[in-house]
Amino acid sequence: MARCAWVGAEPQPGAAEYARYHDEEWGVPLHGDRLLFEKMSLEGFQAGLSWITILRKRPRFREVFAGFAPEVVARFGEDDIARLMTDAGIIRNRLKIEAAISNARLLLDLEPGELDAMMWSFAPASHARPATLADVPATTPESDAMSKALRKRGFRFVGSTTMYALMQSTGMVDDHVEGCWRAA
């Protein structure tokens, strides 16, 4: 089955995990404040690392971040940060941990559904399917605008490249390349 080139092929390390993620999750429309908060958090933790690292650590992230329930994460304090900093099952970066907690608090200041509506408002009306992996941009005017809007509200680790990755993974844009079985 032909897939996007970033998936790789066996016996490349992580190819099976990438294939499952590509086939079942990447590019599937995702809605809901909690789900988008989780994706925003994980994309922020991924910054500077490979996505396979996050995929492998995602179950532990979900466990220690209470399923990314913003009302729980928002109550995390210094003891929780210290606990998370010692957990080898996640990315132990204090700034990223603090950003996830701060972002949860900001999310609670929004009306239910507001994060979802705001983020999806940046989904382009049309998006040209990339012919090859080389044609996939790192950022777009829409991801620039989403990043700027989130940062204006105080959200952290939401740069344009990170937000474009979120847009791809949540189906706001469809970057399955031509020839990929998932290309619509």
Side-chain angles (χ1 to χ4, degrees):
M1 188 163 26
R3 293 183 175 95
C4 297
W6 60 264
V7 174
E10 292 292 347
Q12 177 181 331
E17 290 164 287
Y18 268 149
R20 189 213 50 77
Y21 178 70
H22 171 274
D23 294 353
E24 299 173 13
E25 292 183 58
W26 194 74
V28 175
L30 183 71
H31 285 279
D33 290 347
R34 190 201 59 74
L35 294 173
L36 290 170
F37 168 64
E38 175 182 353
K39 187 63 77 167
M40 177 194 304
S41 299
L42 293 174
E43 293 286 357
F45 276 103
Q46 186 269 332
L49 303 169
S50 67
W51 185 245
I52 194 67
T53 301
I54 301 303
L55 279 180
R56 289 177 176 156
K57 292 179 179 280
R58 184 168 61 173
R60 183 65 180 157
F61 269 112
R62 286 175 170 164
E63 186 178 338
V64 301
F65 278 94
F68 288 94
E71 62 279 2
V72 177
V73 177
R75 291 193 307 265
F76 283 10
E78 282 303 317
D79 290 344
D80 297 293
I81 293 169
R83 171 182 52 83
L84 293 168
M85 287 295 295
T86 65
D87 194 322
I90 67 166
I91 305 304
R92 295 175 290 182
N93 178 302
R94 186 176 186 89
L95 292 176
K96 292 177 180 183
I97 291 168
E98 289 173 344
I101 296 166
S102 173
N103 290 347
R105 292 173 182 157
L106 292 167
L107 176 54
L108 293 181
D109 289 339
L110 302 177
E111 293 296 321
E114 188 175 352
L115 180 68
D116 183 293
M118 180 186 62
M119 293 180 94
W120 274 89
S121 75
F122 294 102
S126 64
H127 181 74
R129 177 165 313 288
T132 69
L133 188 58
D135 297 322
V136 177
T139 64
T140 62
E142 293 85 3
S143 68
D144 293 344
M146 180 189 288
S147 172
K148 183 177 179 181
L150 289 166
R151 283 185 284 120
K152 184 176 181 181
R153 290 177 179 248
F155 287 89
R156 296 164 36 198
F157 278 91
V158 292
S160 185
T161 301
T162 300
M163 290 303 93
Y164 192 69
L166 180 144
M167 293 175 85
Q168 291 172 306
S169 67
T170 61
M172 292 178 195
V173 296
D174 182 356
D175 274 345
H176 287 284
V177 299
E178 291 176 13
C180 171
W181 77 270
R182 288 281 321 275

